[in-house]
Amino acid sequence: PQCVNWSASPWPASHCWSSLLAEQLSHELALRFAKKCFTPLEITHFKDVFRSLADEQDGMQYWKEETLCRFLVIPDALGPGPLIYQMATYLGAFPFPSLAPSILTVEAMLKVVVIMTERYGTVLKRGKTDRNKLLFRSLAVFDRRMSSVYEKPSQEVIDSIQRENSGRVDTSDAILEDARSQAAGEEPKSALGFAIDQPANDEEEEEDDDELALAALDSLDAIEVFRYDQRADTKIHHAQIPVDNFRRLIMLLLVIAPLDSQESLSKHAERLTDTRIERLRHVADSILWSFTPEQTAGIFYQSFNKIIPASLPHMFD
């Protein structure tokens, strides 16, 4: 389909905007990604693999959660499958949050691969192309009631981290006090310079300008659509990543960290004994402490956006 030039459209944007037109623009973006971000051989293999594993209904081929997890060889023992699927169905709707969760068609999966491998630079050249906000949204729950049972870091981990802090500078009490202030929506009393010292829910931040989505819509001459589509998307400061969900993701990333590019995860998955899983959980809890130092139900965008670039810049590579 031809790209709609919204700036030249004779109708008001509110009249033009519909889910059908969003799907057309989404399709156009997928075509551009396929043409400019992959070689012809890569696209051929991509489609062959997708079709060989896809289910079909009413002429539409798609991947189910089970299919995606089986293809990625995600260990059942760690349980991150539903979260990985949630990420994929959100990223597959890019750049229109109102279309999420998307069905994982070949076009949706192509967009997921492009975003996760950061191949989009050849298409999205306008402005910043930081994907942190997009990744946060894909992991987050837009509801104050968390969709996952919250499990706080173990007391053993909390005690060990507090001992480490007291061994350097006696700041553990201040950190915990800041966390309590943060949970209450108050300004932290100290200024230690860490993300946990900042208010977790800062509504003054310009949170709705997703630069990656704006760049995509600009490449389609559909920049004016963005602000209308955002009406269907919940404010990012109302979203949190459930702690238990993020813990499971961190544990998976710890398992795959030593893998070579052509190495299968299956070999490492076979070694996931109860003892090793408990050790992975301990390490994951230590990492979680930097995002949420006390018994909060989830991780806010402000902490996520500060800690990922500063401390874990290659987490999603």
Side-chain angles (χ1 to χ4, degrees):
Q2 295 296 318
C3 177
V4 179
N5 187 331
W6 288 87
S7 60
S9 175
W11 302 290
S14 58
H15 176 77
C16 293
W17 173 241
S18 70
S19 61
L20 178 60
L21 290 175
E23 290 173 4
Q24 289 178 334
L25 290 170
S26 181
H27 172 71
E28 174 69 18
L29 181 62
L31 292 179
R32 294 191 184 187
F33 280 159
K35 182 178 180 180
K36 297 185 178 182
C37 301
F38 298 89
T39 66
L41 183 60
E42 286 177 326
I43 282 295
T44 298
H45 284 308
F46 182 91
K47 291 180 178 179
D48 287 344
V49 171
F50 180 88
R51 290 166 182 164
S52 67
L53 299 175
D55 288 86
E56 186 170 346
Q57 184 174 349
D58 298 330
M60 176 186 292
Q61 292 185 324
Y62 64 96
W63 277 16
K64 299 184 296 186
E65 177 182 326
E66 177 187 356
T67 307
L68 179 64
C69 294
R70 186 173 71 248
F71 175 76
L72 296 175
V73 199
I74 295 177
D76 292 335
L78 299 180
L83 182 62
I84 299 298
Y85 184 74
Q86 173 187 318
M87 285 187 71
T89 57
Y90 187 91
L91 297 177
F94 180 80
F96 298 104
S98 61
L99 298 182
S102 66
I103 299 172
L104 292 185
T105 62
V106 67
E107 289 186 356
M109 282 302 302
L110 185 141
K111 286 191 283 184
V112 172
V113 172
V114 168
I115 292 169
M116 293 307 298
T117 59
E118 296 186 283
R119 294 192 179 199
Y120 45 75
T122 56
V123 176
L124 312 182
K125 299 179 180 179
R126 172 192 175 275
K128 294 187 299 181
T129 52
D130 183 5
R131 58 182 182 159
N132 277 352
K133 184 169 294 184
L134 185 64
L135 293 177
F136 176 84
R137 289 179 182 273
S138 72
L139 292 165
V141 174
F142 291 85
D143 192 332
R144 296 187 185 279
R145 301 164 299 173
M146 292 293 97
S147 68
S148 173
V149 176
Y150 167 65
E151 300 176 27
K152 66 177 180 179
S154 64
Q155 188 61 44
E156 180 183 356
V157 172
I158 294 174
D159 292 342
S160 66
I161 294 175
Q162 288 180 332
R163 283 196 298 271
E164 291 174 8
N165 285 335
S166 63
R168 298 169 190 159
V169 181
D170 188 12
T171 58
S172 57
D173 290 340
I175 290 173
L176 294 175
E177 182 63 30
D178 282 345
R180 295 188 185 99
S181 299
Q182 174 178 310
E186 302 171 355
E187 186 72 22
K189 296 180 180 179
S190 65
L192 300 178
F194 297 106
I196 58 173
D197 300 325
Q198 303 301 322
N201 188 356
D202 188 354
E203 298 189 9
E204 297 301 320
E205 183 182 355
E206 294 181 2
E207 295 172 331
D208 297 329
D209 294 334
D210 190 323
E211 294 288 350
L212 203 58
L214 283 170
L217 292 169
D218 185 49
S219 71
L220 297 168
D221 294 325
I223 196 70
E224 291 301 319
V225 179
F226 179 76
R227 60 194 179 99
Y228 290 95
D229 185 61
Q230 289 304 292
R231 292 178 179 177
D233 190 27
T234 311
K235 296 281 188 181
I236 199 170
H237 58 251
H238 291 160
Q240 299 179 32
I241 302 174
V243 167
D244 189 52
N245 287 0
F246 203 56
R247 178 189 292 111
R248 294 176 187 275
L249 178 62
I250 292 172
M251 290 171 68
L252 173 65
L253 296 177
L254 289 171
V255 170
I256 69 175
L259 264 64
D260 294 329
S261 58
Q262 300 299 321
E263 190 177 0
S264 173
L265 178 58
S266 58
K267 296 179 180 179
H268 292 263
E270 293 171 357
R271 305 192 199 110
L272 286 176
T273 62
D274 291 343
T275 301
R276 191 176 181 209
I277 290 175
E278 186 58 33
R279 289 176 181 172
L280 287 170
R281 182 184 179 88
H282 180 86
V283 175
D285 280 350
S286 298
I287 296 173
L288 275 172
W289 177 269
S290 64
F291 289 92
T292 172
E294 223 184 23
Q295 299 181 23
T296 54
I299 298 167
F300 287 100
Y301 174 69
Q302 188 177 37
S303 292
F304 181 89
N305 194 42
K306 287 187 176 182
I307 292 173
I308 293 294
S311 303
L312 301 166
H314 303 294
M315 180 173 180
F316 295 101
D317 287 359

